[in-house]
Amino acid sequence: MTHILHRTIHSTLPVAVRGQGIELFDAEGKSYIDASGGAAVSCLGHGHPDVIAALHAQLDRIAYAHTAFFTTEVAEQLADRLIEDAPRGLDHVYLVSGGSEAIEAALKMARQYFVEKGEPRRRHVIARRQSYHGNTLGALATGGNEWRRAQFKPLLIETHHIDPCYAYRYQQEGESDEAYAARAAQQLEDKILELGADEVIAFVAEPVVGATLGAVPPVADYFKRIRAICDRYGVLLILDEVMCGMGRTGTLHACEQDGIAPDLLTIAKGLGGGYQPIGAVLLGRHIFDAFAKGSGFFQHGHTYMGHPMAAAAGLAVQEVIRRDGLLDNVKAMGARLDERLQQRFDNHHHVGDIRGRGLFRGIELVLDRATKEPFDPKLKLHVRIKREAMARGLMIYPMGGTIDGVRGVHVLVAPPFIIAKQDIDRIVERLGEAIDAAIASAA
Ligand code: PLP
């Protein structure tokens, strides 16, 4: 008997009682390797002593001060730190409590920017199909996952979607990466022109698409082309790095590897590593200046924004990552994870694609490798894989609906940055067994 409205009603969850390093333990004493950091959150694993110490110290100083009355040292320090390492041109930070809040704030910043600049006609947001930007109404409207949007459609603001850059499914036979990048990016220009170049506010995209597509990186040059198209029409580029950012792909920001910087960048998850709920929007100087010279404020706000405990967690997590050189480990262990996944699944009849960057890897499962035909969605293969993995003491992040919100299955692997070689091997071994058992149970 529970009084919590859990994510699913007719299943019983184990009770998590303790976390240490890369493992979580339930009330029965069973351990689970956290190979997905929950949902790509726990970048330092669990129970990190330095983060815990920083949280204790902050609690002793001050737990909460409303941001309409005060700023706090810890929030200022975190903002300084984030801007020190920010992509080119981003120089202010708006602190919130999670990814959806970050997206909502970024959308409103983009709209207010054009109002301040005397371009109130700009109202359209363009994003990509099969992206996930959060579950609040603005973020849900922006996301392109049909299944998540369907029943709430009557409540969603008008948004427009183009295809993701998804080479496994959309790159044509014999088409070069350059040609595919050009074709995929052209969809943005076409959409801007269709809507009216002076009526579009922003294009929103995840540099490496996470939850709903399974760690899909763009082909080379795609984002350079996207940046150029946005610049040509004065459209703001909002990059959503809530899942793929803060080191997950081996560089602090995923977009560094694409050689571009956005106008607005959303981060969350790995920012606080799960030690506190925290998200942020990093905004360009031009946006800040438009607010500063215009109305003098950004018309938004939440009770818990800039929360000192959340800021303390974010600061401590980022401090540890830098101090311990953990991005080097993300690169090295990411390469090993890729290698092990390739070895284990390269000849697997039902693994169509293995992809990703750093410690952000995805596997797409198919019924038939040659035709890329997906499994019947009724089999709920992703649910079976998760069940089999949990039974084997492994947390991974499988999802259905990869192709169009209904068809397709992928598994996301996103272990903590502190992971060691032998742990990678244990993860791949258990993952292989779980996938085989799930497919056998669905046959
Ligand atoms: N954006 C992306 C890319 C995400 O992956 C998520 C969550 O998975 C969100 C936004 C929403 O974040 P939150 O669940 O913290 O609201």
Side-chain angles (χ1 to χ4, degrees):
M1 176 58 192
T2 174
H3 289 104
I4 297 178
L5 172 56
H6 287 289
R7 285 175 182 247
T8 53
I9 293 173
H10 303 294
S11 56
T12 310
L13 292 163
V15 180
V17 292
R18 194 167 66 84
Q20 191 57 53
I22 65 160
E23 284 182 311
L24 282 173
F25 298 85
D26 71 15
E28 317 269 271
K30 179 170 173 164
S31 69
Y32 304 81
I33 300 178
D34 188 357
S36 58
V41 172
S42 305
C43 56
L44 286 189
H46 303 273
H48 198 290
D50 296 330
V51 184
I52 292 172
L55 284 171
H56 280 297
Q58 185 59 45
L59 193 54
D60 286 340
R61 280 195 289 275
I62 183 162
Y64 178 66
H66 195 286
T67 46
F69 298 84
F70 295 101
T71 186
T72 54
E73 282 173 2
V74 69
E76 296 289 345
Q77 282 165 7
L78 176 61
D80 289 349
R81 181 54 202 277
L82 291 174
I83 292 308
E84 200 182 312
D85 292 336
R88 187 176 64 245
L90 304 187
D91 77 351
H92 278 79
V93 178
Y94 192 79
L95 292 169
V96 291
S97 303
S100 300
E101 280 189 14
I103 286 288
E104 298 289 339
L107 293 173
K108 287 178 74 177
M109 280 179 198
R111 166 66 188 167
Q112 188 176 326
Y113 169 72
F114 285 114
V115 173
E116 303 277 14
K117 282 193 12 150
E119 294 183 61
R121 274 165 59 87
R122 289 203 188 246
R123 65 204 162 91
H124 293 301
V125 171
I126 304 172
R128 300 190 299 177
R129 293 183 194 95
Q130 287 312 100
S131 57
Y132 181 64
H133 298 299
N135 263 329
T136 51
L137 291 175
L140 189 63
T142 306
N145 183 267
E146 271 316 305
W147 175 77
R148 284 181 172 73
R149 294 161 51 93
Q151 69 166 324
F152 301 108
K153 248 186 193 154
L155 307 186
L156 301 181
I157 55 163
E158 180 189 344
T159 50
H160 303 270
H161 293 91
I162 62 169
D163 286 334
C165 185
Y166 179 14
Y168 176 62
R169 296 257 167 213
Y170 295 156
Q171 188 168 13
Q172 287 161 2
E173 198 67 38
E175 188 178 34
S176 68
D177 282 359
E178 287 79 14
Y180 174 50
R183 188 167 60 83
Q186 188 56 41
Q187 287 195 16
L188 177 60
E189 183 160 34
D190 295 346
K191 185 58 83 178
I192 291 173
L193 293 174
E194 178 194 319
L195 294 169
D198 56 350
E199 298 203 7
V200 178
I201 294 174
F203 176 59
V204 188
E206 295 169 77
V208 181
V209 188
T212 41
L213 213 47
V216 173
V219 292
D221 269 9
Y222 171 79
F223 272 107
K224 285 208 177 106
R225 289 175 179 276
I226 291 288
R227 180 70 268 184
I229 293 167
C230 288
D231 290 344
R232 194 171 310 143
Y233 299 103
V235 168
L236 296 178
L237 176 60
I238 302 176
L239 289 184
D240 181 354
E241 297 208 5
V242 164
M243 190 176 254
C244 64
M246 300 318 288
R248 175 61 51 205
T249 63
T251 47
L252 189 62
H253 304 293
C255 63
E256 289 172 40
Q257 293 174 53
D258 299 296
I260 57 145
D263 299 285
L264 292 150
L265 179 72
T266 57
I267 54 175
K269 296 185 188 276
L271 170 57
Y275 287 89
Q276 289 288 299
I278 183 166
V281 185
L282 275 53
L283 55 142
R285 167 161 286 280
H286 48 306
I287 297 170
F288 176 80
D289 285 348
F291 297 168
K293 289 181 193 140
S295 57
F297 66 103
F298 169 44
Q299 191 180 344
H300 195 56
H302 292 289
T303 300
Y304 294 124
M305 60 185 286
H307 197 289
M309 295 301 293
L315 189 60
V317 167
Q318 297 312 311
E319 211 50 67
V320 170
I321 290 173
R322 184 192 272 188
R323 184 198 68 195
D324 296 352
L326 288 178
L327 295 190
D328 289 340
N329 200 50
V330 174
K331 288 190 196 102
M333 291 303 106
R336 187 179 180 94
L337 177 57
D338 183 42
E339 187 188 303
R340 286 285 183 267
L341 290 172
Q342 302 283 355
Q343 281 169 357
R344 176 65 175 82
F345 296 112
D346 203 28
N347 293 316
H348 197 288
H349 291 312
H350 298 294
V351 172
D353 193 29
I354 302 168
R355 59 211 179 202
R357 283 182 188 167
L359 284 174
F360 198 43
R361 300 280 162 181
I363 294 176
E364 185 163 339
L365 294 148
V366 287
L367 185 62
D368 184 325
R369 266 169 77 126
T371 62
K372 302 185 182 177
E373 185 191 340
F375 280 92
D376 182 349
K378 287 201 205 78
L379 294 172
K380 291 196 183 306
L381 187 62
H382 56 292
V383 176
R384 292 170 192 266
I385 294 172
K386 184 170 173 193
R387 193 188 309 132
E388 295 293 346
M390 286 292 276
R392 289 165 174 78
L394 179 71
M395 291 165 62
I396 33 108
Y397 204 60
M399 191 85 70
T402 316
I403 302 169
D404 53 12
V406 179
R407 296 175 312 132
V409 172
H410 65 260
V411 177
L412 197 64
V413 186
F417 302 175
I418 54 169
I419 196 112
K421 273 188 196 159
Q422 62 276 16
D423 302 323
I424 296 278
D425 299 350
R426 283 159 73 208
I427 289 169
V428 175
E429 191 185 321
R430 289 186 197 184
L431 177 61
E433 287 171 10
I435 287 178
D436 287 344
I439 291 173
S441 79

